[in-house]
Amino acid sequence: MPQSKFLKDYRRLARLLAGGQAFCAFDTETTGLSSKTDRVIEIGAVAFCMEGGRPVVTGRFDALINPGMPLPPICAELSHITDAMVADKPACAAVLPGFLDFAGDAVLVAHNAAFDVKFVNAELVRAGLPPLSNAVVDTLRMSRSLLPANGHWNLQFLARQFGIDVHAAHRADDDARVCMEVLLHLLQAQQEQRSESRSLADAALQD
C-alpha cells in the first residue's frame, strides 16, 4: 500500500475542499518525541467538508490510550493527561481501527504533520497494520509559506492571530479543531494574496 503524500500545491488543496473532498484534521498527544521509544496517548480528529460554500463538521473522534508505560511529568504539564486517566483505557492497537475507519480516505490535516504521521505509522507497524496512505496537509509548513513575516507559526500563536478560540491547548481533540480552523484561515489568506497579486498586476499593466 502506498504511503501518505504531502500536498504542497495549496491552489489544488483549495479546489479539493471547494469540490466537496472530505478532510480530517487530527492531532496526537505522545509520551515524548521519539516514535521509536515513545507512544501515543491520545488521538483526536475532526472530519469536515464544504457544503454550500461553508465548512461543515461531519464528525469527531477522540480516544485516550494506555501506552503501557508510565507517563513522564511533561505529559501532565502540557496536556494534563495523567497515569490515572489512561490506566483503564485501551492500548493503541485497539484504538487504531476506529481512527482509520473515521478518517477513511479523507485528506488528513495536522500541524507539524510529519510528527503525527510518523507516530501513527509507528503504532500501526506495532499493531501489524499498513501505514497511512491518505494525502496529508501540514498547516505548519503551509503557514510558513503563506505568512513568512510571522516569525512564529506554532498552533497557539496562529490561533491568537486568527482569533480562534482555544478551549484545551495540547489536548488532541481541541488541537485538531483548532488545526481545522487554521487551515480554513490559511486558505482565505491565500485567496486574498492571489487577489492582491492580480490587482497589482492589473495596475502595472495600466501604467
Side-chain angles (χ1 to χ4, degrees), residues 78-159:
L78 285 178
S79 64
H80 304 291
I81 297 174
T82 64
D83 287 301
M85 291 170 63
V86 300
D88 63 345
K89 301 304 178 184
C92 199
V95 171
L96 287 171
F99 171 68
L100 295 176
D101 286 344
F102 178 82
D105 60 357
V107 174
L108 298 177
V109 184
H111 202 70
N112 192 17
F115 176 89
D116 297 284
V117 169
K118 181 171 64 175
F119 261 90
V120 170
N121 281 341
E123 296 286 12
L124 286 168
V125 169
R126 294 185 193 104
L129 296 170
L132 294 169
S133 59
N134 307 60
V136 180
V137 177
D138 184 355
T139 51
L140 174 59
R141 178 181 293 178
M142 188 175 179
S143 63
R144 285 173 170 165
S145 174
L146 295 175
L147 305 171
N150 257 29
H152 300 280
W153 300 275
N154 68 62
L155 193 62
Q156 308 312 319
F157 181 90
L158 292 171

Side-chain angles (χ1 to χ4, degrees), residues 17 21-25 46-49 56-58 109 180 183-184:
L17 186 61
Q21 167 69 44
F23 280 70
C24 178
V46 178
F48 64 101
C49 64
V56 175
V57 172
T58 56
V109 184
M180 173 192 71
L183 173 69
L184 297 173

